[in-house]
Amino acid sequence: MQHRTRGGDTLAQRLCSSGHGHEVDITVTNLNFLGKNSDILSTAGYDCIIQHLNNGRKNCKEFEDFLKERASIEEKYGKDLLNLSRKKPCGQSEINTLKRALEVFKQQVDSVAQCHIQLAQTLREEARKMEEFREKQKLQRKKTELLMDAAHKQKSLQFKKTMDAKKIYEQKCRDKDEAEQAVHRSANLVNPKQQEKLFVKLATLKTAVEDSDKTYMMHISALDKIREGWQSEHIKACEMFEAQECERINFFRNALWLHMNQLSQQCVTSDVMYEEVRKSLEVCSIEKDIAFFVNHRKTGQTPPAPIMYENFYCPQKNTASQGKAPGPNLARRGPLPVPKSLPDDPDYSLVDDYSLIYQ
């Protein structure tokens, strides 16, 4: 079985290509997350990107935890299978070809268990790589995030100063306008001192308006420079974040791809081992196993004798004893005949007179 692999094109060429094979611009976030409703203080776009990156990091952590838990499951299964193979009897009294097949079976189950334990170690190594990748991206983001936080803080501070200067400027303008109206109303006054005071006040307010206007314009100019600097940093940050996200998606996708290859390889390896068991079963012969048993365990070819009838009152008529082969029954024969002493029989002597046999 061959594992499937992805192409080796560059990040810009492959990672952000569309599903139909047309390449797209990888820098698509830099001008799409500048803010919301043209609010200069809005960080909605930046916050949205950061939230997406945090979610991506969380997803990597979840896959890392998944690999660790899967490794624990594989290790437990491998150890349980190993104990089963080594400690649990399985056809231990079988003989000949089936016995050899069972031995191969136990060996291959042991090997499959070892493969699952090895797979657990491999999965833990992949989880470690995912953790290292997450930490590396976290450190890469930290510098950019600090620069952006400082830019946001500086922009917010300058905006506040500008708005304060604007309020002062507007108030000075209103004061000057009121002073001008007061001068016009006092044009018919006979008291020249009061008119002089009004003119002095108006001149002072005009000077204050000019000063506040300059200060306000100065703050506006400073705010615009800060805004341009923030926008430049924002674009750089978006490009950096997008490249990092492309790298993360690529790494995550490849890690998942590799995980599938590892599981497929485990299945292939197990099937190869099980095939060895099947091969041993193919040469298992029923006839040979039965013949082997007969040849090594046979007890004899003579059948037991039939059980004969015995009459209790006429034992001499029994031709065979119970449970024994037929033959002469000496133990149950009748008494020997008593020799007769006949005077005309020369073959016997007289028992009473102790005569010897004579010719």
Side-chain angles (χ1 to χ4, degrees):
M1 175 181 177
Q2 294 182 351
H3 292 169
R4 299 178 60 193
T5 57
R6 303 293 300 186
D9 295 338
T10 63
L11 182 69
Q13 293 172 334
R14 293 289 305 211
L15 296 188
C16 295
S17 61
S18 66
H20 301 287
H22 302 294
E23 293 183 2
V24 296
D25 185 10
I26 66 168
T27 56
V28 295
T29 61
N30 52 5
L31 297 178
N32 289 291
F33 295 90
L34 288 174
K36 188 174 183 180
N37 299 327
S38 300
D39 184 4
I40 193 173
L41 295 181
S42 174
T43 60
Y46 177 80
D47 294 340
C48 181
I49 294 175
I50 293 299
Q51 181 63 43
H52 180 72
L53 294 177
N54 290 336
N55 290 340
R57 187 167 181 268
K58 178 183 177 182
N59 293 337
C60 289
K61 181 63 168 64
E62 290 174 351
F63 182 65
E64 173 191 332
D65 294 339
F66 180 90
L67 289 177
K68 290 179 179 179
E69 190 165 345
R70 177 64 186 266
S72 298
I73 293 173
E74 290 288 342
E75 184 177 46
K76 183 179 184 302
Y77 175 72
K79 290 182 177 180
D80 290 346
L81 194 59
L82 203 62
N83 291 332
L84 177 66
S85 173
R86 296 180 178 180
K87 297 180 180 180
K88 186 71 175 179
C90 182
Q92 59 183 357
S93 63
E94 287 293 342
I95 59 174
N96 206 32
T97 61
L98 185 55
K99 179 180 180 180
R100 289 194 291 270
L102 284 170
E103 289 174 350
V104 174
F105 166 70
K106 295 292 287 291
Q107 291 171 358
Q108 296 305 322
V109 170
D110 189 286
S111 298
V112 170
Q114 296 287 359
C115 287
H116 281 281
I117 294 174
Q118 181 61 40
L119 176 61
Q121 297 175 355
T122 302
L123 295 180
R124 287 193 177 95
E125 178 64 20
E126 294 304 316
R128 183 189 62 81
K129 291 179 182 178
M130 179 62 75
E131 182 180 8
E132 290 178 352
F133 176 78
R134 288 191 304 104
E135 293 302 318
K136 182 191 73 171
Q137 285 210 325
K138 179 182 178 181
L139 293 176
Q140 290 174 345
R141 281 175 49 189
K142 186 174 182 180
K143 181 179 179 180
T144 302
E145 289 178 357
L146 289 175
L147 289 175
M148 287 302 299
D149 290 343
H152 288 147
K153 184 177 181 180
Q154 184 182 24
K155 182 180 65 171
S156 179
L157 181 62
Q158 183 59 41
F159 179 79
K160 183 177 182 303
K161 291 180 179 179
T162 302
M163 292 299 101
D164 290 342
K166 180 182 179 181
K167 290 179 180 179
I168 294 174
Y169 165 70
E170 290 175 346
Q171 185 61 45
K172 295 299 182 182
C173 289
R174 284 191 289 269
D175 292 343
K176 182 183 75 69
D177 291 343
E178 291 177 1
E180 288 178 346
Q181 293 176 4
V183 169
H184 290 305
R185 287 194 299 269
S186 64
N188 299 324
L189 293 178
V190 180
N191 191 340
K193 290 184 178 180
Q194 291 181 353
Q195 289 183 345
E196 184 178 356
K197 289 181 179 180
L198 292 175
F199 280 113
V200 172
K201 182 179 181 181
L202 178 61
T204 302
L205 290 173
K206 286 182 177 180
T207 301
V209 167
E210 292 176 357
D211 292 340
S212 63
D213 181 63
K214 291 179 181 179
T215 301
Y216 176 41
M217 291 181 65
M218 180 185 68
H219 283 294
I220 287 290
S221 178
L223 179 61
D224 191 57
K225 289 181 180 180
I226 291 175
R227 183 193 60 79
E228 290 178 353
W230 163 83
Q231 183 171 324
S232 176
E233 290 296 328
H234 177 83
I235 292 174
K236 291 178 182 178
C238 287
E239 292 173 352
M240 182 267 180
F241 290 153
E242 185 168 345
Q244 191 178 63
E245 179 65 1
C246 287
E247 182 185 16
R248 186 195 68 83
I249 294 174
N250 181 60
F251 187 87
F252 198 165
R253 180 192 61 178
N254 289 344
L256 187 57
W257 194 284
L258 178 61
H259 181 55
M260 294 300 100
N261 282 349
Q262 290 167 345
L263 298 183
S264 296
Q265 182 61 49
Q266 174 66 31
C267 295
V268 172
T269 302
S270 297
D271 189 65
V272 170
M273 295 175 180
Y274 295 145
E275 181 63 22
E276 293 299 319
V277 181
R278 287 189 286 266
K279 289 179 180 179
S280 67
L281 291 172
E282 287 176 350
V283 299
C284 179
S285 171
I286 299 174
E287 294 80 4
K288 289 181 180 180
D289 285 3
I290 293 177
F292 182 88
F293 170 75
V294 171
N295 292 332
H296 288 77
R297 303 292 176 84
K298 60 185 178 181
T299 59
Q301 297 180 347
T302 303
I307 305 300
M308 306 302 294
Y309 169 75
E310 295 182 8
N311 190 297
F312 182 79
Y313 298 99
C314 300
Q316 67 277 8
K317 294 182 179 181
N318 295 330
T319 58
S321 62
Q322 184 176 358
K324 295 184 179 179
N329 190 345
L330 300 179
R332 300 297 299 274
R333 292 181 65 184
L336 293 173
V338 178
K340 297 179 180 179
S341 300
L342 299 176
D344 296 334
D345 189 356
D347 295 334
Y348 293 92
S349 64
L350 295 175
V351 177
D352 297 335
D353 296 335
Y354 297 97
S355 298
L356 298 174
I357 298 173
Y358 59 92
Q359 298 293 332

